[in-house]
């Protein structure tokens, strides 16, 4: 999956925490808004300080599971299709531990498809104004087609 560029990241809605404590068997939960009409991207990174790992899940309020991973750290992006939900529930669970709490730091960015379309339109206009060839413009057009809902999760 193509990476989200810096211009889009700077326009994103950002949620972050540093050294958030999750007790043994506990869960840290974060609700983030998402456009149900357009969908968008969830760009996330997290790290658990002891390298023991936490279970990270992304789901809808209706419990449709979009992502489930168990690791000490991760950095990726998730495409959320249009029509799915106006809210996503992110959970970091320390359910694998019986005794020890963990310290979690994370940054989550929400990027709307409208912002993606606007950025790609700008890139196409820039390519046309600066004489970039038809091949570059076709690549940007295909990227826009892809970004508007044809991929569910990055590899």
């Amino acid at each position: 999956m193509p990476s989200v560029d810096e211009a889009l990241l700077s326009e994103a809605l950002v949620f972050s925490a540093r050294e958030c404590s999750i007790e043994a068997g506990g869960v840290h939960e974060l609700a983030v808004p998402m456009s149900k009409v357009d969908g968008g991207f969830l760009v996330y990174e997290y790290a658990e300080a002891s390298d023991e790992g936490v279970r990270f899940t992304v789901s809808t309020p209706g419990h449709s599971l979009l992502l489930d991973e168990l690791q000490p750290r991760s950095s990726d992006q998730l495409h959320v299709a249009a029509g799915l939900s106006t809210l996503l529930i992110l959970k970091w669970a320390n359910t694998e531990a019986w005794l020890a709490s963990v310290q979690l730091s994370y940054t989550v960015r929400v990027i709307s498809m409208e912002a993606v379309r606007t950025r790609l339109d700008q890139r196409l206009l820039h390519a046309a104004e600066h004489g970039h060839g038809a091949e570059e413009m076709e690549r940007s057009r295909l990227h826009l087609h892809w970004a508007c809902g044809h991929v569910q999760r990055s590899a």
Side-chain angles (χ1 to χ4, degrees):
M1 169 150 91
S3 62
V4 175
D5 69 16
E6 290 299 317
L8 282 171
L9 289 177
S10 68
E11 297 175 16
L13 179 60
V14 179
F15 300 86
S16 65
R18 292 202 181 269
E19 298 180 13
C20 174
S21 182
I22 306 174
E23 296 299 318
V27 175
H28 177 77
E29 188 172 302
L30 175 68
V32 297
M34 182 62 64
S35 170
K36 187 173 185 174
V37 174
D38 288 332
F41 287 92
L42 189 69
V43 181
Y44 62 90
E45 60 183 284
Y46 66 86
E48 185 274 307
S50 71
D51 283 338
E52 291 296 320
V54 291
R55 179 165 302 283
F56 175 59
T57 59
V58 179
S59 61
T60 66
H63 305 290
S64 293
L65 189 61
L66 305 177
L67 178 68
D68 185 355
E69 61 184 31
L70 175 62
Q71 42 192 346
R73 60 186 32 84
S74 184
S75 179
D76 207 345
Q77 57 191 14
L78 176 70
H79 176 254
V80 180
L84 188 62
S85 181
T86 58
L87 193 67
L88 296 177
I89 309 299
L90 285 62
K91 293 182 183 178
W92 290 269
N94 188 20
T95 53
E96 304 298 316
W98 292 43
L99 301 173
S101 63
V102 295
Q103 298 296 314
L104 174 74
S105 296
Y106 64 83
T107 300
V108 174
R109 293 176 176 87
V110 179
I111 302 171
S112 70
M113 284 309 297
E114 181 61 32
V116 171
R117 280 191 290 275
T118 299
R119 178 69 180 132
L120 290 172
D121 285 347
Q122 291 170 347
R123 291 170 83 184
L124 283 170
L125 180 61
H126 178 76
E129 288 175 345
H130 291 86
H132 293 277
E135 182 180 305
E136 177 67 25
M137 292 179 68
E138 178 65 7
R139 191 168 37 251
S140 291
R141 188 191 66 75
L142 289 173
H143 187 158
L144 176 60
H145 178 73
W146 164 86
C148 289
H150 294 85
V151 174
Q152 286 299 316
R153 182 163 189 272
S154 63

